[in-house]
Amino acid sequence: MRRIRPRRSPAVPLILLSWAGAAAVVTLWWRNTPNVVGNAEWLVGGGRLTGLLSGYSIALVVLLMARVPALERRVGSDRVARWHAMSGRYTLCLILAHIALIIWGYSAQAQTSVVDQTVTVVTEYPDMIKAVVGTGLLLLIGLISAGVVRRRMPYEAWYYLHLLTYAGVFLAFWHQLTAGAEFVADEMARIGWYALYGSVTAAMVWYRVLVPVGLNLRHRMRVLAVVPEAPGMVSVVIGGRNLDRLGAEPGQFFRWRFLAPGLRWGSHPYSLSAPPQEERMRITVKAVGGHSTALATLEPGTRVWAEGPYGAMTTGRRSRSKVLMIAGGAGITPLRALFETLPGRGSDITLLYRARSMEDLALWDELQRIAEERGARLLYAVNGPDGARPEITPERLRSVLPDIDRHDVFLCGPPGLTEHAYAALREAGVPDRRIHHESFEM
């Protein structure tokens, strides 16, 4: 069997690089820490160390918000989002530990109460008022990003409140240099810290502001048509200049902002449902919320603001000549584009489409045409007349594809489907490294 060489993921090198940065921070603290004697000095030393690590991890949190192409397109936007959330939680824990340890340590050294020492630190230390406000903003962001709170908030409200992270980081940054023992007397340490935050700021401005502005000025996208595809699902055809030069690949997505009443303040990720052409692209969207439902009302000519392309679920992930694709609901959109464009013999490519009913099989006519032209296998699984769900089990997968353990699998659909199908695939013998999926849940 011919083996296709996949693009190497930068995930492992990036993780090692981030840990190397953390090790450098610990080394900086160690170099500037004299012999520690007594509980008070241990507390202050722990406070300084957690402060340095929280300052470093804040920079990583912001970098993971910058939508750097090497991360978004190669590692995968869903994994980057998980890294961002995880590093944010670690950062908040480090910040709280820094505050508690440093105040407690200073209080023990001065032999004053914790309350009195807190007032002294806030009112007398340089840049501490700004640091308090910035820390408050970061803690607020952490609170609204907690799962229970986040699920109860509209996405747009959460998104714009989340942008306060930048203000919190800016306000908290200055006290690190004016009050941090590692920076007060070490010019090289200060230069390194400025370089770290300056690089992250430059990446944020470049990829979140300048690149999207340039993209939209060049390509000038507008809505050409809105086409119903299935109950609650529409395709939006978008026109523009030289769209084939965007470098978008089947399986990728853009973050779309439609400049229409009620939609202009929301930017949402939707996958391409067809290979991009010179002057048009297409997305297919299922109505699952206010924004996606409103797309059915878009008028031709509506201006479109796009950012991207993003996503790593492309042909570059493929490592075997045989491929199985499993789609459910709106997950058919990136897989439909891949179904048409994956290189190789059509007989080596299988698409399994899971839906509630035949009417819910969006883009079915197109899929049938592609399957016929390529000689690929197209299968569907819909609920029975009594509502019974055909489960995706290891036994059924093996009966359809006896050599399924030799396949790459592209998986996209609702969380319940993807989790169940992933477990079935693993039990059927497909290695984890050959199950490719991305999640775009808000």
Side-chain angles (χ1 to χ4, degrees):
M1 179 180 295
R2 183 172 63 91
R3 183 175 178 83
I4 298 172
R5 193 182 191 91
R7 285 186 297 208
R8 184 174 299 171
S9 170
V12 172
L14 289 171
I15 292 171
L16 293 176
L17 182 62
S18 66
W19 279 108
V25 169
V26 174
T27 301
L28 173 65
W29 169 82
W30 182 267
R31 191 184 66 186
N32 289 277
T33 301
N35 293 331
V36 179
V37 179
N39 291 335
E41 291 189 9
W42 278 111
L43 290 169
V44 172
R48 288 170 44 222
L49 177 58
T50 52
L52 285 169
L53 288 173
S54 62
Y56 170 71
S57 60
I58 284 173
L60 294 185
V61 168
V62 175
L63 182 63
L64 291 170
M65 297 172 66
R67 297 177 186 167
V68 179
L71 295 174
E72 297 280 339
R73 302 181 191 178
R74 299 291 299 280
V75 175
S77 296
D78 59 337
R79 182 184 288 185
V80 172
R82 289 195 297 271
W83 286 358
H84 171 71
M86 179 182 64
S87 58
R89 290 191 290 269
Y90 288 149
T91 298
L92 291 179
C93 291
L94 287 168
I95 289 173
L96 292 174
H98 166 64
I99 294 170
L101 290 171
I102 209 75
I103 294 294
W104 191 6
Y106 285 169
S107 174
Q109 286 181 334
Q111 296 185 346
T112 61
S113 70
V114 170
V115 174
D116 289 341
Q117 189 60 45
T118 301
V119 173
T120 299
V121 169
V122 172
T123 58
E124 297 183 10
Y125 282 52
D127 294 311
M128 283 306 302
I129 296 295
K130 290 188 289 187
V132 169
V133 176
T135 300
L137 289 175
L138 294 175
L139 293 175
L140 172 64
I141 299 304
L143 176 64
I144 66 171
S145 298
V148 176
V149 180
R150 170 68 191 87
R151 285 190 290 270
R152 295 177 179 272
M153 292 185 66
Y155 172 75
E156 286 77 11
W158 173 84
Y159 174 81
Y160 286 108
L161 284 173
H162 206 71
L163 295 180
L164 291 173
T165 301
Y166 303 133
V169 172
F170 176 79
L171 291 169
F173 171 74
W174 303 105
H175 91 286
Q176 300 176 59
L177 298 177
T178 56
E182 284 72 22
F183 303 112
V184 171
D186 190 335
E187 184 178 1
M188 290 305 298
R190 289 198 304 274
I191 292 173
W193 215 244
Y194 274 120
L196 171 65
Y197 274 79
S199 300
V200 169
T201 301
M204 180 64 65
V205 172
W206 179 258
Y207 292 115
R208 291 295 298 265
V209 180
L210 299 180
V211 169
V213 168
L215 181 153
N216 287 280
L217 289 178
R218 285 194 305 273
H219 298 288
R220 298 184 178 275
M221 287 175 272
R222 294 180 181 272
V223 173
L224 296 181
V226 177
V227 182
E229 300 288 1
M233 188 174 286
V234 297
S235 286
V236 181
V237 182
I238 297 160
R241 302 175 181 175
N242 303 316
L243 298 182
D244 55 330
R245 297 183 183 177
L246 283 167
E249 298 181 55
Q252 290 189 309
F253 68 96
F254 287 77
R255 286 181 168 90
W256 304 94
R257 188 187 305 272
F258 297 92
L259 305 185
L263 292 174
R264 65 180 68 247
W265 297 110
S267 174
H268 289 246
Y270 299 121
S271 298
L272 298 176
S273 61
Q277 301 176 12
E278 181 179 356
E279 294 186 350
R280 66 174 55 201
M281 295 189 294
R282 188 184 73 176
I283 59 175
T284 302
V285 180
K286 186 174 183 178
V288 294
H291 188 277
S292 53
T293 300
L295 296 189
T297 66
L298 285 172
E299 296 290 337
T302 300
R303 290 291 301 274
V304 180
W305 184 274
E307 298 176 43
Y310 303 121
M313 197 172 66
T314 65
T315 58
R317 286 285 186 92
R318 183 181 179 187
S319 63
R320 296 296 178 105
S321 61
K322 294 187 176 183
V323 176
L324 168 65
M325 289 176 274
I326 302 177
I332 190 60
T333 54
L335 298 190
R336 181 261 177 241
L338 284 170
F339 190 53
E340 180 178 354
T341 57
L342 272 174
R345 295 184 305 171
S347 58
D348 288 337
I349 298 171
T350 303
L351 172 61
L352 172 60
Y353 191 172
R354 173 76 178 87
R356 284 192 296 267
S357 66
M358 292 297 297
E359 291 75 19
D360 292 313
L361 294 172
L363 309 174
W364 186 248
D365 290 342
E366 294 182 21
L367 293 169
Q368 287 182 306
R369 174 183 56 77
I370 294 168
E372 183 176 348
E373 291 176 354
R374 299 199 62 180
R377 301 180 68 188
L378 176 60
L379 310 173
Y380 65 86
V382 299
N383 295 354
D386 59 351
R389 295 170 54 88
E391 299 294 342
I392 297 175
T393 64
E395 294 74 23
R396 288 186 175 180
L397 289 172
R398 291 194 196 98
S399 68
V400 173
L401 297 171
D403 59 347
I404 190 171
D405 58 322
R406 299 181 181 180
H407 282 65
D408 269 305
V409 180
F410 290 82
L411 176 61
C412 194
L417 171 69
T418 56
E419 291 171 8
H420 183 83
Y422 178 86
L425 288 164
R426 294 291 287 118
E427 191 174 340
V430 182
D432 177 78
R433 66 182 181 278
R434 287 200 263 113
I435 303 175
H436 316 297
H437 59 94
E438 284 187 312
S439 171
F440 310 122
E441 280 191 287
M442 293 298 178

